Amino acid sequence: MTGTAPLSPQHLHSVPAAPPTPREEAVQVRQRTAWTAAELMATEFPEPKWAVPGILSEGVNLLAGPPKVGKSWLSLGLGLSVASGGKAFDAVPVEGGPVLYLALEDTPRRLQTRMGKILGGQAAPAGLTLATQCPPLPQGGNEAIANWLDRNPDARMVVIDVFAKMRGTSPPGASAYDADYTAVGHAKRLADHYGVAIVLVHHVRKAGSDDFLTEVSGTNGLAGAADATLVLKRARGQADGVLHVTGRDVDEAEYALKFHKSAGAWQLLDGPATDHTISDTRAAILQHVRANPGARPKDIATVLPQVDADTIRRTCSRMADAGQLTKDASGRYYPDTTAQAREVSQVSDCPVTPTDQHERPGQSEFELSGPSGLPDAASQHGRK
């Protein structure tokens, strides 16, 4: 490759020079594609590694959202959190490990400015590698990322911002669906081979939809090939955004987020997303009814003196019609536990292995020297 390329291609499959490590043995288990039923049941598979427990698992994660909604701020913040072993969204503890962030629409100056705002005076993590150029996946990008992953065996996440810059040209004669599926397939092979979370930042359609999966720009082949799809949508009420998540290894959930412009940071809000996206009056009523099941409108009015009693009665009735509350024959209101169970954050209930979740894990040191021509970690991430 030329000297301007940030990552140097290397073949995906490295030739082992020593007996396989536990990680290499886990890779071999993932690579096997056929078993007898008895063999399959007797095989011990490693638990999925979580970049962000409950939200981002190993595999391909398609992160989509409208322009200027804050996808790049979100993905850069996640990269800093995972690389340092801090808290993602200022709420979810993560295990630290190397992260590769391909900021293909940014300049080094813009990245420096954004990181400075997010870090707020804290030291930049040495475990985060940033690059502003990389060839498309089918034309050398696969090998370039594999080269970095080979040198960073403890890597936890790779972010490609944006995916359109690296998907490459479509195969001749392929349908739109097949082309999309093939494009994501390049990233999936890397994710499956190395057991790492790969985040593909993408866009949504202009037209909205009740099903967030159908809002992802392109055909269903994109979401179909990805292991998980995350859609960041603008919200109303107290939340600035709602992150919709679904996937093979992650429970479907909605998370209310607030964007702190001065810090460039997305924060996860407590409780179901609907608590933060409905009106202040509805949110206050819902919180009171959850704490006091069987409350009557007059009871609620005593704790909400700023809202007149008629408004509370009408609002309770409308919330019952909308499925946010249930009402018995005597006029008492109860929380809709079915809806609550569906919307409650799954962050604390996600499956993690004992070795995959530590209180404050250390970060791994790694080298960036070699044919890629990348500067070392200190010069990449030091304060300027």
Side-chain angles (χ1 to χ4, degrees):
M1 294 181 63
T2 65
T4 60
L7 299 171
S8 177
Q10 178 171 308
H11 197 272
L12 177 60
H13 304 288
S14 300
V15 177
T21 64
R23 177 182 180 277
E24 290 169 339
E25 290 179 345
V27 168
Q28 291 171 3
V29 170
R30 283 194 296 267
Q31 287 179 326
R32 186 174 177 179
T33 58
W35 300 261
T36 66
E39 288 173 337
L40 184 59
M41 293 305 297
T43 300
E44 293 186 10
F45 293 93
E47 289 291 332
K49 288 195 304 184
W50 291 89
V52 180
I55 298 178
L56 279 177
S57 178
E58 70 173 72
V60 174
N61 299 265
L62 189 64
L63 171 61
K68 310 303 181 184
V69 74
K71 300 186 299 295
S72 292
W73 284 105
L74 187 150
S75 53
L76 180 58
L78 289 177
L80 287 165
S81 298
V82 174
S84 63
K87 288 186 176 182
F89 301 114
D90 195 34
V92 186
V94 298
E95 182 175 350
V99 174
L100 174 62
Y101 187 92
L102 302 180
L104 305 177
E105 292 187 324
D106 287 319
T107 63
R109 182 187 299 275
R110 185 181 302 131
L111 284 172
Q112 183 190 56
T113 301
R114 289 191 172 189
M115 280 199 301
K117 181 176 286 191
I118 296 173
L119 290 168
Q122 296 181 349
L128 176 61
T129 302
L130 301 104
T132 57
Q133 293 183 28
C134 188
L137 291 171
Q139 283 82 48
N142 281 326
E143 292 81 0
I145 295 173
N147 181 35
W148 183 87
L149 290 168
D150 281 334
R151 294 190 315 243
N152 295 274
D154 297 323
R156 302 195 69 82
M157 187 167 70
V158 174
V159 179
I160 299 177
D161 185 8
V162 291
F163 178 52
K165 288 276 190 178
M166 289 193 63
R167 61 173 294 163
T169 57
S170 301
S175 67
Y177 179 95
D178 290 340
D180 283 346
Y181 197 95
T182 299
V184 175
H186 289 291
K188 181 162 175 57
R189 283 191 291 274
L190 282 169
D192 291 347
H193 180 82
Y194 289 97
V196 67
I198 295 183
V199 180
L200 306 179
V201 181
H202 193 53
H203 300 296
V204 296
R205 307 174 190 272
K206 291 183 179 179
S209 171
D210 292 335
D211 182 356
F212 69 91
L213 283 177
T214 63
E215 295 188 42
V216 177
S217 181
T219 71
N220 292 335
L222 293 175
D227 295 289
T229 301
L230 303 87
V231 176
L232 178 63
K233 301 175 68 173
R234 293 186 176 94
R236 62 181 187 274
Q238 300 169 336
D240 295 316
V242 174
L243 185 65
H244 302 261
V245 182
T246 190
R248 300 185 179 111
D249 294 315
V250 62
D251 293 327
E252 184 167 334
E254 296 178 354
Y255 301 98
L257 303 174
K258 186 171 185 60
F259 184 68
H260 297 274
K261 188 174 181 180
S262 61
W266 284 96
Q267 179 188 18
L268 181 68
L269 300 177
D270 291 333
T274 50
D275 279 8
H276 305 281
T277 56
I278 60 179
S279 69
D280 291 340
T281 299
R282 289 197 179 200
I285 291 173
L286 189 57
Q287 290 169 3
H288 180 79
V289 173
R290 283 184 181 154
N292 303 275
R296 298 176 184 271
K298 65 178 183 179
D299 302 324
I300 302 172
T302 61
V303 297
L304 298 177
Q306 72 276 17
V307 184
D308 64 83
D310 286 340
T311 298
I312 289 178
R313 280 193 292 269
R314 289 194 301 269
T315 303
C316 285
S317 179
R318 290 169 182 164
M319 291 176 71
D321 293 339
Q324 294 166 341
L325 297 175
T326 57
K327 180 182 178 182
D328 65 14
S330 64
R332 296 179 181 272
Y333 286 90
Y334 300 86
D336 183 357
T337 55
T338 302
Q340 182 180 358
R342 182 175 63 250
E343 294 161 355
V344 163
S345 166
Q346 301 292 325
V347 171
S348 61
D349 297 325
C350 64
V352 292
T353 62
T355 58
D356 201 30
Q357 185 77 341
H358 301 286
E359 184 176 353
R360 290 291 297 175
Q363 61 188 48
S364 303
E365 296 182 356
F366 57 99
E367 296 180 355
L368 296 178
S369 59
S372 65
L374 275 172
D376 61 21
S379 63
Q380 278 276 350
H381 308 294
R383 298 188 63 82
K384 299 183 173 87

